[in-house]
Amino acid sequence: MADLRTGAPAVRHDFARFFGSEYRAVLRLAYALTGEPAAAEDIAQDAFLAALRHWPRVAGYADAGAWVRRVAANLAVSRWRRLRNEARALTRLAAQRPTEVADLPAPDAAFWAAVRALPRRQAQVIALHYLEDRPVAEVAVVLGLAEGTVKSALHAGRRTLAVRLDLEVDR
Amino acid sequence: MTLDGRARQAVRALDEATAEAGTVAALDRVLRRQRRALPLQLAVAAVLVLVLLAGALLLGPAGERREVPAGPAPTTGPKSRPVRPPGTILGTKSYPIPPGPPFPRVAASAFPPLFDSGKVRDLRRRSAHPLAFPTWLPARFNWRMPHSQVLPRLTDYYLQAAGSTGPEIEVFHSQLDDGRSTDPLDHPVKGLTMPNGLKVFPYQDMVTAGTDAYIVSDRHEYVIVYFHDPCGGSSCLTRQERWRFVRGLAMVDHGR
């Protein structure tokens, strides 16, 4: 267990650097998949807390950022976790604790709402593909899926999105 | 407009929306949550070591006794089934359900004092979520309800013991589906069917150490109960008391 309370400055420094470089991207992913600023903050923090708890193992991964994105993506599409985060967000609203994430303009909110309306696997793949401009192989690594699965989810998701948003699919 | 062009625009909007999110403050919040969990993890580790030591001491003489020949091994007859300890269900090695007689179905008049108010009675009568209110709480903790929300589709509340540093019980519920999680982060555990037909799914929360989660479901609505550990394990609810609280929700008469 990474002990960030009682010394281990190297560990603390490593994790802080990792957090600094990845937090905003993970927060963005969580926001895209939840549509709720407060819930996205909670999910991003939960994902990094999980990384911190398993830090010696996670730090050894070739792409620790992929691991924390997978956790956040799974947290964001888990129905009852999402409800739990919504409940927390309501409580936070009642306590008047503001979030640091702004609301999206209506057309962009509508785009991400359409992404979230896709089946959860397709939504994860589409969000990672567009947010981080990752190729299929990297999305497959992040989500722990086969490349073929990602390809078909991406194809189906893009086709559905284009129909629902009345847009043309790029060739 | 093309889909990719529209997506790029939506990504830019997301960038701008999250640009003000401070990583320093967020990191501080994560570290504080980790610090709160550390004493509990140390206590759990200490208890585990003590249990292992005690087990080794107890099993030492037993191991010697096993070396004494016990007669010929039976070669015929029906195979004996492996015996499960009472109160456990398959797949729940780390999550034993405490044994006990079925919790009695109770009328609304049996609510614990905290919930025994005109408002709660009225809510219960009108609510689409009759499962949401507990029928049993140990009185010794002098509970209070620091937060609660009652909405058409979602009801949630927190219960905090007097003198505790944070809420210990978190309950919320909805009507979306049967509530079973498919999240790979959740330890999959088989459900337990109560005598009134409701199912209880215990979950091991893989993200928040020290948190127990139970889902009570009738396949139309479900209640999720989280038990947090804000008191370091010493004066919080015991595992048996947690389970009794869940049974109080699960065994409530669904017809009110």
Side-chain angles (χ1 to χ4, degrees):
Chain A
M1 180 174 56
D3 190 346
L4 288 151
R5 182 185 57 166
T6 58
V11 169
R12 189 167 51 229
H13 178 71
D14 280 356
F15 181 78
R17 201 171 49 184
F18 170 70
F19 189 94
S21 66
E22 302 287 355
Y23 176 70
R24 202 154 293 160
V26 174
L27 177 64
R28 216 170 46 154
L29 176 64
Y31 193 8
L33 289 173
T34 61
E36 294 287 336
E41 283 184 340
D42 280 345
I43 283 171
Q45 287 172 25
D46 278 350
F48 279 99
L49 191 60
L52 181 54
R53 296 230 162 89
H54 305 286
W55 185 242
R57 179 162 56 87
V58 173
Y61 290 155
D63 189 355
W67 188 89
V68 82
R69 278 169 181 74
R70 187 193 299 185
V71 172
N74 284 333
L75 290 176
V77 298
S78 167
R79 284 177 300 242
W80 60 280
R81 282 183 190 280
R82 194 172 68 226
L83 284 169
R84 179 195 186 190
N85 281 308
E86 284 171 7
R88 282 181 173 172
L90 285 169
T91 305
R92 179 146 65 169
L93 198 65
Q96 296 189 331
R97 273 185 290 151
T99 73
E100 294 174 316
V101 179
D103 288 329
L104 291 173
D108 303 305
F111 176 85
W112 292 115
V115 171
R116 287 192 298 279
L118 296 170
R120 63 181 223 156
R121 189 60 82 195
Q122 288 179 22
Q124 288 177 322
V125 168
I126 291 275
L128 279 168
H129 173 72
Y130 281 128
L131 282 174
E132 310 205 359
D133 205 16
R134 287 183 182 248
V136 167
E138 284 185 22
V139 173
V141 169
V142 170
L143 294 176
L145 300 172
E147 279 189 38
T149 309
V150 171
K151 256 183 211 165
S152 67
L154 191 58
H155 177 72
R158 277 162 53 92
R159 201 177 47 196
T160 309
L161 270 184
V163 170
R164 286 185 184 164
L165 297 171
D166 198 16
L167 297 168
E168 291 172 21
V169 182
D170 305 70
R171 294 289 163 196
Chain B
M1 193 175 198
T2 64
L3 176 63
D4 286 354
R6 184 74 194 76
R8 277 193 292 275
Q9 190 180 320
V11 169
R12 273 198 301 275
L14 212 52
D15 278 339
E16 286 164 14
T18 54
E20 297 299 316
T23 53
V24 176
L27 175 62
D28 187 52
R29 279 194 290 274
V30 171
L31 294 180
R32 264 189 281 136
R33 285 176 64 187
Q34 165 75 353
R35 274 184 218 119
R36 278 203 298 269
L38 270 173
L40 173 70
Q41 288 167 343
L42 292 174
V44 168
V47 167
L48 207 63
V49 168
L50 285 175
V51 167
L52 285 174
L53 283 173
L57 284 172
L58 287 172
L59 288 178
E64 287 167 15
R65 276 200 300 275
R66 271 202 300 272
E67 289 173 11
V68 178
T75 52
T76 57
K79 276 188 179 176
S80 62
R81 286 185 169 189
V83 178
R84 273 191 283 133
T88 62
I89 53 177
L90 285 176
T92 59
K93 275 181 196 165
S94 61
Y95 246 83
I97 301 292
F103 199 77
R105 293 183 181 217
V106 288
S109 59
F111 282 172
L114 188 65
F115 289 87
D116 195 10
S117 68
K119 184 182 174 188
V120 169
R121 283 169 189 276
D122 187 44
L123 273 174
R124 185 171 169 75
R125 201 172 57 249
R126 290 186 292 108
S127 172
H129 309 298
L131 299 179
F133 305 104
T135 58
W136 182 83
L137 269 172
R140 69 175 189 279
F141 291 105
N142 194 15
W143 297 99
R144 61 190 185 87
M145 198 187 302
H147 307 294
S148 67
Q149 294 282 339
V150 181
L151 302 169
R153 289 180 64 85
L154 176 71
T155 302
D156 72 286
Y157 53 83
Y158 296 76
L159 296 172
Q160 183 169 344
S164 180
T165 56
E168 184 173 352
I169 305 176
E170 179 183 352
V171 179
F172 73 92
H173 76 295
S174 190
Q175 275 184 310
L176 294 185
D177 53 26
D178 67 1
R180 275 175 297 184
S181 174
T182 51
D183 191 330
L185 287 166
D186 302 323
H187 193 267
V189 179
K190 286 190 177 178
L192 180 74
T193 304
M194 306 301 281
N196 61 359
L198 296 181
K199 296 205 85 169
V200 177
F201 302 97
Y203 278 95
Q204 189 166 15
D205 193 321
M206 302 295 275
V207 175
T208 312
T211 294
D212 284 347
Y214 293 86
I215 294 178
V216 182
S217 165
D218 69 353
R219 305 189 72 80
H220 299 292
E221 67 175 289
Y222 61 93
V223 179
I224 299 172
V225 187
Y226 285 95
F227 292 100
H228 305 293
D229 201 343
C231 37
S234 56
S235 58
C236 279
L237 293 174
T238 63
R239 175 60 61 82
Q240 274 73 18
E241 286 170 333
R242 288 178 172 191
W243 172 237
R244 193 168 179 205
F245 178 87
V246 173
R247 277 202 304 169
L249 293 172
M251 290 303 296
V252 70
D253 190 343
H254 201 240
R256 304 170 204 178

